[in-house]
């Protein structure tokens, strides 16, 4: 419905405003958005895939704790990481002061060009690829890699010819989600004063007071998301990627200097993406903890937890239904198209998703009143049901992509054998599909839960009265320039995310041990 509403906005063009946008802003917006997508896409693909391969396939110093630590940056909202980087690396930040006064170097301008914002997005979004690629690498059959080693293949050749092609669906799924998240972001690009389609949407809405132009620009983002999904499917073609569960044995052992260099590389990523930002938040929030901590933070934690858990369970349940293979899905292009369209909500900024829902329901209510019925605005507006519906529409792509990547690694021989033995559809799902896609369910549920916790625009506009969340609190304090006070709820968000990560780790280890025994 939100996509349908923003598409209908083209029936009400504002020619003068569009003339201004097309001649003055549109060319630069297209260029900046493409530079951002290409830079972030390359960054998260290279970093996420390499990190996942190292922790799964290579034994190096510190691997055990770094494998879990690399999940943690996903718990930091992108806008929080952005204002931390600006506070630390801006001209007046202590890092720049140290570079100028101690090292005697001229320093750099973090706000110039696109490199800083690409780096920020890469640091905060690489876990999308890392989590999914790690699950894929863990399912690869180690006998194939050992056979390649016996035949004299170098580690680099094994990586490019065996490991990477088999993990490609998971890497592509993580990349697709990352690019749609980058398209929809507003907080980071606005903090860096980097104009993209999303900032233009907010400008059309806030500065020019034109919801029609904002919706029309949002519809262009939906088209971009559609082409990203189509391109990924087209590039994959008819290729299939099957694999088996394997033991925790690692085919490579990095000793000496090589091992410590790998450890240093992985540790550096952890420092810049999590350890340093958290330390800065602790420093900022230290003086305001005693002043700000009160019963209201308990209410914020409860509200955030209820919304996060409810949205994650609903989203993953629907994603499982959509991702499970079936005869009708294989033979129905119409059904495949509907499923693909249901993934496009992730490309909509949260604010446009909210406006689309509100405007659409308002029109439905008007139609109901016109035909003698009652208005439904007082029932739907400001309800938790509408907010949960927005979450499911917004984050369905995350859960579906993760689960779909797992289903595509199931060998058809398992399904065919079960059917020959007379297994019913329900038994096939319960005893074959669900056990084998459990890693994808865990990964998808984790991603959805953390994203719901960090979601700001849709929550801010659609939340029921009195349902403030941690993200809303961080936003309200940071817009007033109270970064020290905003650090407190930001740290609580990070702690909440770390708890989700810990639960995921425990479940993942338990499932891995069960798979190994089987």
């Amino acid at each position: 419905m939100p996509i349908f509403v923003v598409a209908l906005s083209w029936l009400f063009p504002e020619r003068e405003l569009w003339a201004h946008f097309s001649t003055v802003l549109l060319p630069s917006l297209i260029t900046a958005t493409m530079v951002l997508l290409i830079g972030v896409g390359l960054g998260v693909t290279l970093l996420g895939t390499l990190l996942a391969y190292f922790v799964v396939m290579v034994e190096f110093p510190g691997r055990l704790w770094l494998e879990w630590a690399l999940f943690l940056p996903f718990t930091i909202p992108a806008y929080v990481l952005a204002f931390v980087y600006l506070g630390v690396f801006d001209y007046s930040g202590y890092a720049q002061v140290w570079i100028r006064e101690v090292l005697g170097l001229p320093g750099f301008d973090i706000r110039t060009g696109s490199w800083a914002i690409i780096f920020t997005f890469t640091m905060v979004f690489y876990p999308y690829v890392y989590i999914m690629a790690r699950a894929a690498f863990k399912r690869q059959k180690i006998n194939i890699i050992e056979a390649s080693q016996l035949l004299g293949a170098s580690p680099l050749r094994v990586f490019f010819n065996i490991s990477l092609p088999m993990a490609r669906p998971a890497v592509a799924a993580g990349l697709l989600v990352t690019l749609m998240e980058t398209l929809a972001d507003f907080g980071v690009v606005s903090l860096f004063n980097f104009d993209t389609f999303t900032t233009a949407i907010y400008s059309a809405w806030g500065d020019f007071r034109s919801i029609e132009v904002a919706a029309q620009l949002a519809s262009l983002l939906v088209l971009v998301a559609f082409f990203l999904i189509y391109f990924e499917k087209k590039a994959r073609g008819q290729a299939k990627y099957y694999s088996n569960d394997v033991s925790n044995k690692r085919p490579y052992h990095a000793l000496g200097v090589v091992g410590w260099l790998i450890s240093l590389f992985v540790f550096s990523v952890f420092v810049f993406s999590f350890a340093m930002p958290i330390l800065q938040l602790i420093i900022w929030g230290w003086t305001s903890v005693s002043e700000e901590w009160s019963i209201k933070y308990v209410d914020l934690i409860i509200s955030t937890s209820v919304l996060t858990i409810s949205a994650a369970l609903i989203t993953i349940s629907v994603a499982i239904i959509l991702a499970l293979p079936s005869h009708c899905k294989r033979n129905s292009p119409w059904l495949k198209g509907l499923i693909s369209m249901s993934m496009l909500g992730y490309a909509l900024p949260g604010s446009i998703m909210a406006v689309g829902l509100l405007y659409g329901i308002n029109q439905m209510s008007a139609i109901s009143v016109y035909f003698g019925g009652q208005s439904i605005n007082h029932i739907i507006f400001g309800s938790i049901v509408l907010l949960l519906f927005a979450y499911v529409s917004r984050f369905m792509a995350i859960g579906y992509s993760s689960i779909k990547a797992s289903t595509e690694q199931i060998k058809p021989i398992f399904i065919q054998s079960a059917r020959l033995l007379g297994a019913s559809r329900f038994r096939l799902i319960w005893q074959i599909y669900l056990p084998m896609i459990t890693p994808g369910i865990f990964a998808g549920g984790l991603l959805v839960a953390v994203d719901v916790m960090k979601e700001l625009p849709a929550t801010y506009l659609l939340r029921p009265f009195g349902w403030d969340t941690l993200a809303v609190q961080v936003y309200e304090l940071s817009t007033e320039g109270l970064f020290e006070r905003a650090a407190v709820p930001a740290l609580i968000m990070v702690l909440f995310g770390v708890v989700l990560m810990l639960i995921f780790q425990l479940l993942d280890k338990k499932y891995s041990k069960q798979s190994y025994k089987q």
Side-chain angles (χ1 to χ4, degrees):
M1 183 175 64
I3 294 176
F4 180 69
V5 169
V6 297
L8 286 181
S9 64
W10 288 100
L11 298 176
F12 310 97
E14 296 191 13
R15 293 180 175 83
E16 295 182 0
L17 190 55
W18 254 112
H20 170 74
F21 268 93
S22 60
T23 57
V24 179
L25 299 176
L26 200 57
S28 61
L29 291 178
I30 295 175
T31 302
T33 302
M34 292 303 299
V35 168
L36 193 61
L37 288 177
I38 294 173
V40 175
L42 291 175
V44 297
T45 301
L46 292 175
L47 189 60
T49 305
L50 282 177
L51 292 174
Y53 186 79
F54 283 149
V55 300
V56 173
M57 298 294 184
V58 183
E59 190 66 52
F60 60 89
R63 184 200 61 81
L64 286 175
W65 75 270
L66 285 173
E67 180 178 7
W68 179 80
L70 290 175
F71 286 89
L72 298 178
F74 189 68
T75 63
I76 302 180
Y79 47 86
V80 172
L81 189 65
F83 83 70
V84 170
Y85 279 171
L86 287 172
V88 173
F89 296 107
D90 210 357
Y91 185 81
S92 59
Y94 62 82
Q96 288 265 35
V97 172
W98 183 79
I99 291 174
R100 294 194 305 269
E101 296 183 358
V102 177
L103 299 181
L105 299 176
F108 54 88
D109 187 1
I110 194 174
R111 298 179 184 269
T112 301
S114 58
W115 66 271
I117 190 172
I118 290 175
F119 180 80
T120 303
F121 274 126
T122 301
M123 288 294 102
V124 79
F125 288 150
Y126 83 81
Y128 283 112
V129 176
Y130 170 76
I131 292 174
M132 296 185 182
R134 173 180 169 274
F137 285 135
K138 276 182 171 292
R139 292 175 61 86
Q140 292 183 6
K141 198 170 184 179
I142 200 171
N143 293 344
I144 301 176
I145 299 176
E146 291 176 341
S148 303
Q149 292 175 316
L150 291 175
L151 292 173
S154 64
L156 198 62
R157 188 177 180 185
V158 173
F159 172 74
F160 282 107
N161 290 351
I162 297 177
S163 298
L164 185 59
M166 293 180 68
R168 185 189 174 283
V171 174
L175 175 61
L176 179 64
V177 172
T178 297
L179 293 180
M180 290 195 288
E181 180 72 20
T182 303
L183 279 175
D185 178 81
F186 173 73
V188 177
V189 293
S190 62
L191 285 172
F192 278 94
N193 295 321
F194 191 84
D195 292 330
T196 62
F197 265 104
T198 311
T199 58
I201 291 171
Y202 280 80
S203 177
W205 188 0
D207 298 335
F208 296 96
R209 303 297 179 184
S210 176
I211 186 62
E212 288 79 15
V213 173
Q216 289 159 10
L217 289 171
S219 67
L220 297 180
L221 288 186
V222 175
L223 287 177
V224 174
F226 174 78
F227 282 113
L228 288 175
I229 296 173
Y230 175 79
F231 178 78
E232 194 279 328
K233 297 290 185 182
K234 196 71 174 179
R236 185 185 307 178
Q238 299 298 320
K240 300 296 180 183
Y241 307 86
Y242 304 121
S243 59
N244 286 335
D245 295 329
V246 300
S247 69
N248 290 324
K249 181 181 178 182
R250 280 158 184 80
Y252 300 107
H253 292 265
L255 305 175
V257 177
V258 175
W260 284 107
L261 287 176
I262 294 176
S263 182
L264 179 62
F265 167 70
V266 178
F267 180 72
S268 299
V269 174
F270 169 71
V271 168
F272 279 100
S273 59
F274 185 80
M276 184 274 291
I278 291 302
L279 179 60
Q280 183 61 65
L281 289 175
I282 293 174
I283 294 173
W284 280 342
W286 182 259
T287 57
S288 60
V289 171
S290 59
E291 301 173 4
E292 289 298 314
W293 183 261
S294 65
I295 192 65
K296 70 176 182 180
Y297 282 108
V298 177
D299 295 334
L300 291 173
I301 293 173
I302 293 175
S303 299
T304 303
S305 301
V306 170
L307 289 175
T308 299
I309 296 173
S310 301
L313 291 176
I314 296 172
T315 303
I316 290 301
S317 299
V318 177
I320 291 174
I321 296 174
L322 296 181
L324 284 177
S326 67
H327 180 75
C328 61
K329 292 177 185 176
R330 288 194 300 267
N331 298 326
S332 175
W334 180 77
L335 187 55
K336 291 180 180 179
L338 281 180
I339 294 177
S340 297
M341 287 187 65
S342 69
M343 304 300 113
L344 297 180
Y346 201 66
L348 283 178
S351 57
I352 301 301
M353 171 69 74
V355 170
L357 287 174
L358 293 174
Y359 183 76
I361 290 176
N362 186 64
Q363 296 304 310
M364 292 169 58
S365 182
I367 294 174
S368 175
V369 172
Y370 178 80
F371 286 100
Q374 295 182 351
S375 174
I376 61 174
N377 287 348
H378 65 285
I379 300 175
I380 302 297
F381 286 179
S383 68
I384 193 174
V385 174
L386 186 62
L387 183 56
L388 289 175
F389 183 83
Y391 286 149
V392 174
S393 302
R394 177 96 163 81
F395 300 120
M396 180 58 63
I398 302 177
Y400 176 82
S401 298
S402 178
I403 297 172
K404 186 65 175 177
S406 295
T407 62
E408 291 183 349
Q409 292 185 333
I410 300 176
K411 287 185 177 181
I413 188 64
F414 298 154
I415 312 303
Q416 296 168 2
S417 300
R419 287 173 176 168
L420 287 174
L421 293 173
S424 63
R425 174 68 177 172
F426 176 78
R427 190 176 181 186
L428 188 66
I429 293 174
W430 187 253
Q431 296 186 344
I432 302 293
Y433 284 130
L434 290 182
M436 299 190 73
I437 66 175
T438 298
I441 294 175
F442 286 159
L446 167 70
L447 295 174
V448 171
V450 177
D451 257 352
V452 169
M453 177 191 66
K454 297 186 295 185
E455 169 60 31
L456 174 62
T459 306
Y460 193 77
L461 293 174
L462 296 177
R463 72 191 190 282
F465 180 77
W467 272 73
D468 287 342
T469 64
L470 293 169
V472 173
Q473 186 76 359
V474 171
Y475 169 75
E476 291 179 344
L477 292 174
S478 60
T479 53
E480 297 175 3
L482 303 174
F483 297 121
E484 291 81 4
R485 296 171 61 184
V488 177
L491 284 171
I492 297 175
M493 291 178 65
V494 174
L495 179 62
F496 189 81
V498 170
V499 172
L500 292 177
M501 294 289 183
L502 180 60
I503 294 174
F504 168 75
Q505 283 290 315
L506 294 176
L507 292 174
D508 182 64
K509 289 181 179 179
K510 179 181 178 181
Y511 177 79
S512 298
K513 290 180 180 179
Q514 291 177 349
S515 298
Y516 175 58
K517 291 179 181 179
Q518 292 173 359

